[in-house]
Every structure is written in C-alpha cells, then in structure tokens.
C-alpha cells in the first residue's frame, strides 16, 4: 500500500468515528497549499481560501468562515508568511517560543466569543513529520477561555502548532481536530 493511500485511510477512519459518511462519499480530497505541500483531508471538510496566506479548513459547525480568528468555527488553519510575520502578538514574527497569537490584547475564545482566550503555558514540544523529508517544530499550548471581567475559566483547550520555517508554513489547530496529525504526517511535497 502507498503512503498516500494509508494517509487517506487513516483520515477517513478518524472521520468516520465522528461523522457518518454517505455511501457514495469519496474518502479524501487533496488540499494544496504553498511550496508544494498537499494534504489529503476528508471530503466533507470545507476549504476556504483568504488570499495566499490563509486557508481555513472547516471541520464541523461554523456560521460564516472569515479566516483566522473566526469565532465559534470548528476549523484549523494553514498560514503563510504574512501571518507568521505578525504571530508574536502582532509585534513580531512567530518563532515557536511563544504561542501563535496575532494581537496584544485578549482575543475572543474560539468556542464562545463572549469569553476571552488565554494561550499558554506550553505542554508539549518536539518535532513532527509533515510528509516525507519535512519535520515541523511542534508546540502544544494549554489554553483557557475566561470571563472578560474575572478570571473564571469556562473552557479549556490545547492550541496545537506545526511550524515549517524553511517552507514558511504554520498550521494552527484549536479544536483538537481528529485526523489532522495523520493528514500532516502523510502529506505530499511536490
């Protein structure tokens, strides 16, 4: 079996566990990004492009996809140089030493915009395979959704980040998307 077939099967299997597929659904669709990166993702995931540097992949419920920071939108993001350049609280470039965060103030929680998002501290760090011959710097950040008027925590999540500095690609997931790690591991580069 080819690696591509295994990747498609793994992503499809992860998706089947969370969503029923129609009998005639194709198992995966290719998602091409920059510098030759192609991911194979479940066919029911919706791909929205917002210029060359933002792809929002909606994997569940979402009112209106708007790109990075769409509130209450079950999605992950593929980001290019424009967003990497402002990923350190809007004042500098993302390096992985701090979480990807595009503003210096408290941003809305990804799950409920009436709460604020606090990202950090880091809980996992290492290298992760993104297709053959490419390793990403991987960081997972323990995060919370809190009241704007107090420190009461309403939700917890982990922001996962895969950073490929030579390819100028950053993948950010705040929803613990099933199958995303395998889709990245078995990506193709052309």
């Amino acid at each position: 079996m080819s690696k591509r077939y295994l990747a498609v099967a793994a992503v499809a299997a992860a998706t089947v566990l969370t969503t029923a597929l129609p009998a005639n659904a194709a198992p995966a669709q290719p998602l091409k990004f920059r510098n030759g990166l192609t991911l194979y993702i479940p066919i029911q995931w919706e791909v929205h492009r917002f210029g060359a540097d933002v792809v929002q992949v909606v994997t569940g419920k979402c009112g209106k996809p708007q790109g990075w920071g769409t509130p209450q939108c079950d999605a992950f993001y593929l980001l290019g140089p424009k967003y990497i350049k402002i990923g350190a609280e809007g004042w500098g470039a993302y390096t992985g030493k701090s979480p990807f965060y595009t503003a210096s103030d408290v941003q809305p929680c990804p799950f409920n915009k009436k709460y604020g998002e606090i990202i950090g501290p880091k809980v996992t760090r290492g290298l992760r395979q993104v297709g053959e011959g490419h390793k990403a710097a991987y960081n997972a950040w323990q995060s919370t959704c809190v009241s704007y008027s107090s420190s009461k925590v309403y939700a917890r999540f982990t922001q996962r980040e895969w950073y490929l500095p030579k390819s100028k690609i950053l993948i950010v997931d705040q929803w613990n998307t099933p199958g995303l790690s395998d889709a990245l591991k078995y990506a193709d580069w052309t």
Side-chain angles (χ1 to χ4, degrees), residues 160-172:
R160 303 185 303 164
E161 304 167 350
W162 293 260
Y163 180 43
L164 296 139
K166 289 182 182 175
S167 302
K168 296 184 168 117
I169 296 171
L170 175 63
I171 297 107
V172 180

Side-chain angles (χ1 to χ4, degrees), residues 15-166:
T15 304
V16 168
L17 293 175
T18 59
T19 312
L21 292 174
N24 62 348
Q29 63 178 311
L31 167 57
K32 295 182 182 291
F33 191 48
R34 55 180 292 108
N35 293 328
L37 174 63
T38 301
L39 302 179
Y40 299 93
I41 61 172
I43 199 81
Q44 69 270 29
W45 289 0
E46 296 177 12
V47 176
H48 300 274
R49 294 182 183 273
F50 298 91
D53 280 350
V54 181
V55 173
Q56 181 180 24
V57 181
V58 176
T59 61
K61 184 178 176 185
C62 186
K64 181 180 178 191
Q66 301 169 0
W68 172 254
T70 303
Q72 295 171 235
C73 184
D74 191 345
F76 68 90
Y77 302 87
L78 289 96
L79 305 168
K82 178 180 174 184
Y83 278 82
I84 293 169
K85 186 177 180 180
I86 61 166
E89 295 190 18
W91 302 107
Y94 173 87
T95 63
K97 292 180 182 176
S98 298
F100 178 78
Y101 202 77
T102 58
S104 59
D105 61 348
V106 177
Q107 295 296 293
C109 172
F111 310 110
N112 188 332
K113 63 184 176 182
K114 73 180 185 178
Y115 304 121
E117 164 186 85
I118 298 176
I119 308 232
K122 189 182 303 186
V123 292
T124 305
R125 179 186 181 123
L127 296 175
R128 298 289 188 273
Q129 198 71 39
V130 178
E132 192 171 322
H134 291 79
K135 294 238 184 212
Y138 175 81
N139 292 296
W141 305 88
Q142 179 181 332
S143 307
T144 55
C145 296
V146 299
S147 167
Y148 282 108
S149 61
S150 72
S151 59
K152 183 175 180 184
V153 174
Y154 287 91
R156 296 183 190 281
F157 66 97
T158 300
Q159 178 166 301
R160 303 185 303 164
E161 304 167 350
W162 293 260
Y163 180 43
L164 296 139
K166 289 182 182 175

